Amino acid sequence: MARILIVDDDPALRRALAERLRFWEHDVEEAAGVRAGGEAVRARRFDLLLLDLELPDGSGLDLLRGLRGDEETLASAPDVIVLTAHGSIESAVEAIRAGATDFLLKPADFDLLRAVLDRTLEKRRLTSVHRARVERDEDDDGDLVVASPRMNAVLATAAQAARSKALILLTGESGTGKQKVAEYVHRKSDRADGPFVYVNCVAVNDEMIESTLFGHEKGAFTGAISRRIGRLETAHGGTAFLDEIGDISAKMQAKLLHFLETGEFERLGGTRTLRVDCRIVAATHRDLPAEIRAGRFREDLYFRLNVIGIHLPPLRERREDIAALADRFVARYARDAKRTGMVLDPVTRARLESHDWPGNVRQLKNAIERMVVLAPDEWLTPDLLPVEISGDAPGAPGSPPESGTEATPPEFDLRAAVEVFRRDHIAAALARTGGNRTRAAALLGIQRTHLSLLLRQSGSAAPDIEAAEPEA
């Protein structure tokens, strides 16, 4: 089903076209002129326009050029099929040059109309699929790289749920990747070719969140200078992700429940009932059963949302994922910074894996980005870590043992063992090259500046012959 707008001043022709298009199961609206057509396009997303060029208040070319010239709507602008009389072929050619997809002569032949319509809509669908795939490839930052059994189970449940139309409620601490799982559900569903629309349900007041979700009419409130299409309407044919659903007010909970039950809503300040078809995935970091007991969240809305509940464990409970995520983030930010060969130092990796990550994946991502930006060479060493990570790891230099735990016995101290191995490995390379740091660095596969840094950090007494050594 496509959304189609007919712009023509002949009411009989509009009615005949609209009846036939609805018989073909399309959603149809009508407009009699340039102004009405422009208002309709700004108020609602259409897939296709059937546009007459000779209109009572101007030329259809003006409307067409307006669509193609608006950068904000260009990506989602409808395709245009021009309707023209026999004597206006030159105008039809001009319309094609202005961006129209095709043109038909009046009176419209329904068989030809359907053929042109089907061809145009299929091309639009394929273009949308290609664009969505490109955007997914560009936006994939690896947040769903998993190695732990718990997260593999989460994704298995999400993939199975995606094949249904059931509502999904994602719970878990902030930063655990709920949006990424919602996007994963969308990609695995039969709506993958449609839009994925993010809605942040945290707002200053009910008026703002209602306008965000459902849209508003001109004059609905102070500052509403024009009609606005809501995010749910934008998600028609795709998926709407309602983030932080536990933060909406009781009033908005009632309106959202009505929408979930019926698929219908009215724009703020409007009287017309609208209906959209979109998949709902909601998420919250709050304990909703506790919120229900406290009287802050409706029990019926909770049960409506929680058809399939999926809990995302915090990063500290799936430590197997830390290294895999860290490596992916290193690769991503190194690519962004146009720096090649960046790797995590073994001690750095151990610090990352031992940290509890109260901010979860989001905090890990930020820490990796900081290290990549500040690193003087390709090695990401512990001194580049944020202080809250570098200074609190058990066994870190100068940090006391954790309360209620015994100090690590020296023979089992992994970090100390790694340091000893690294120091011995460097010493062996220097011995083989006769103390030549340039050759030793090449043998170790690192830059000489990094070798010098490692020697300073370890307090090595290796001979300092850099000034006299020949360049290898």
Side-chain angles (χ1 to χ4, degrees):
M1 181 182 75
R3 285 180 170 176
I4 300 175
L5 175 65
I6 304 170
V7 184
D8 196 292
D9 68 334
D10 184 340
L13 177 61
R14 287 202 314 270
R15 184 164 54 251
L17 287 172
E19 289 177 355
R20 183 54 61 104
L21 292 171
R22 291 188 180 107
F23 177 74
W24 292 336
E25 299 184 342
H26 294 299
D27 183 7
V28 184
E29 288 191 19
E30 302 174 36
V34 173
R35 181 176 178 180
E39 290 178 351
V41 170
R42 286 190 292 272
R44 193 178 186 197
R45 182 181 63 82
F46 290 94
D47 300 301
L48 186 71
L49 260 64
L50 292 177
L51 176 64
D52 189 10
L53 297 180
E54 301 296 330
L55 297 168
D57 57 348
S59 170
L61 283 172
D62 296 333
L63 178 57
L64 175 59
R65 293 189 182 110
L67 291 174
R68 295 296 180 256
D70 187 348
E71 293 184 359
E72 292 185 1
T73 61
L74 185 57
S76 59
D79 287 296
V80 177
I81 297 175
V82 168
L83 300 174
T84 182
H86 284 280
S88 304
I89 298 299
E90 290 183 0
S91 297
V93 172
E94 186 179 355
I96 296 294
R97 290 172 177 167
T101 305
D102 212 328
F103 71 91
L104 293 170
L105 295 176
K106 292 183 180 181
D109 176 275
F110 287 146
D111 290 337
L112 180 58
L113 171 63
R114 184 160 196 176
V116 172
L117 199 70
D118 289 347
R119 182 174 65 244
T120 302
L121 292 174
E122 177 62 10
K123 180 180 178 182
R124 183 179 180 85
R125 186 190 71 80
L126 292 174
T127 301
S128 176
V129 170
H130 174 71
R131 185 185 299 121
R133 287 174 179 166
V134 170
E135 289 174 352
R136 282 203 300 270
D137 291 343
E138 291 176 347
D139 294 341
D140 181 17
D141 57 7
D143 296 43
L144 282 179
V145 173
V146 297
S148 65
R150 292 189 66 179
M151 277 304 292
N152 274 305
V154 164
L155 294 188
T157 302
Q160 186 173 355
R163 295 192 289 268
S164 71
K165 295 183 179 180
L167 276 75
I168 297 175
L169 178 63
L170 304 175
T171 57
E173 296 177 7
S174 294
T176 49
K178 294 186 287 293
Q179 181 175 344
K180 290 298 175 181
V181 173
E183 292 171 354
Y184 179 79
V185 168
H186 176 68
R187 292 197 302 270
K188 294 293 183 180
S189 74
D190 59 2
R191 297 171 177 266
D193 295 342
F196 177 87
V197 177
Y198 173 85
V199 185
N200 187 344
C201 293
V202 180
V204 177
N205 53 47
D206 285 350
E207 201 171 70
M208 290 302 297
I209 187 59
E210 184 173 358
S211 172
T212 298
L213 285 170
F214 304 120
H216 64 249
E217 297 291 346
K218 181 179 179 180
F221 53 85
T222 303
I225 59 176
S226 62
R227 177 185 287 175
R228 173 183 177 178
I229 299 175
R231 302 294 282 165
L232 292 176
E233 191 172 351
T234 304
H236 181 77
T239 302
F241 173 52
L242 310 185
D243 197 12
E244 299 303 349
I245 196 70
D247 287 67
I248 63 174
S249 69
K251 174 185 175 182
M252 285 307 305
Q253 289 174 35
K255 292 195 173 188
L256 181 59
L257 178 62
H258 174 75
F259 169 74
L260 296 178
E261 294 285 359
T262 65
E264 298 178 346
F265 65 94
E266 295 176 357
R267 295 193 186 105
L268 182 62
T271 58
R272 179 185 174 191
T273 299
L274 302 173
R275 184 177 183 86
V276 298
D277 173 25
C278 65
R279 170 75 173 274
I280 298 294
V281 179
T284 182
H285 73 283
R286 296 188 181 278
D287 181 349
L288 290 187
E291 295 292 301
I292 292 170
R293 292 192 295 272
R296 291 189 291 267
F297 201 83
R298 293 178 63 119
E299 187 175 39
D300 49 1
L301 176 57
Y302 172 70
F303 288 131
R304 188 70 188 90
L305 289 168
N306 196 35
V307 177
I308 298 178
I310 301 177
H311 180 73
L312 275 67
L315 200 51
R316 63 184 174 275
E317 294 179 8
R318 47 183 174 108
R319 295 188 185 275
E320 304 96 323
D321 293 336
I322 294 175
L325 285 165
D327 287 337
R328 179 60 66 91
F329 293 143
V330 168
R332 176 193 176 188
Y333 290 119
R335 182 177 65 250
D336 291 347
K338 296 181 172 57
R339 304 181 65 179
T340 59
M342 303 198 81
V343 294
L344 290 166
D345 177 279
V347 178
T348 308
R349 187 181 296 275
R351 295 274 176 87
L352 295 177
E353 291 177 332
S354 66
H355 189 60
D356 276 347
W357 300 106
N360 293 293
V361 179
R362 185 181 296 119
Q363 185 188 11
L364 173 63
K365 183 192 299 185
N366 293 340
I368 297 296
E369 183 178 15
R370 178 186 190 275
M371 296 175 72
V372 170
V373 169
L374 298 180
D377 52 40
E378 74 274 18
W379 281 88
L380 302 177
T381 52
D383 57 297
L384 298 170
L385 286 166
V387 65
E388 67 272 14
I389 301 170
S390 62
D392 70 350
S399 64
E402 291 184 355
S403 176
T405 65
E406 297 181 1
T408 302
E411 64 271 24
F412 290 104
D413 191 327
L414 176 62
R415 292 163 191 81
V418 171
E419 292 283 5
V420 169
F421 173 80
R422 183 169 61 181
R423 187 167 57 248
D424 291 347
H425 204 57
I426 291 172
L430 286 167
R432 176 173 293 188
T433 61
N436 187 309
R437 293 187 184 182
T438 299
R439 293 178 182 172
L443 192 62
L444 293 167
I446 61 176
Q447 295 180 3
R448 192 172 75 169
T449 54
H450 187 227
L451 175 59
S452 299
L453 174 65
L454 294 176
L455 289 170
R456 288 196 300 272
Q457 288 178 342
S458 64
S460 173
D464 185 2
I465 59 172
E466 282 186 289
E469 66 179 357
E471 291 296 333

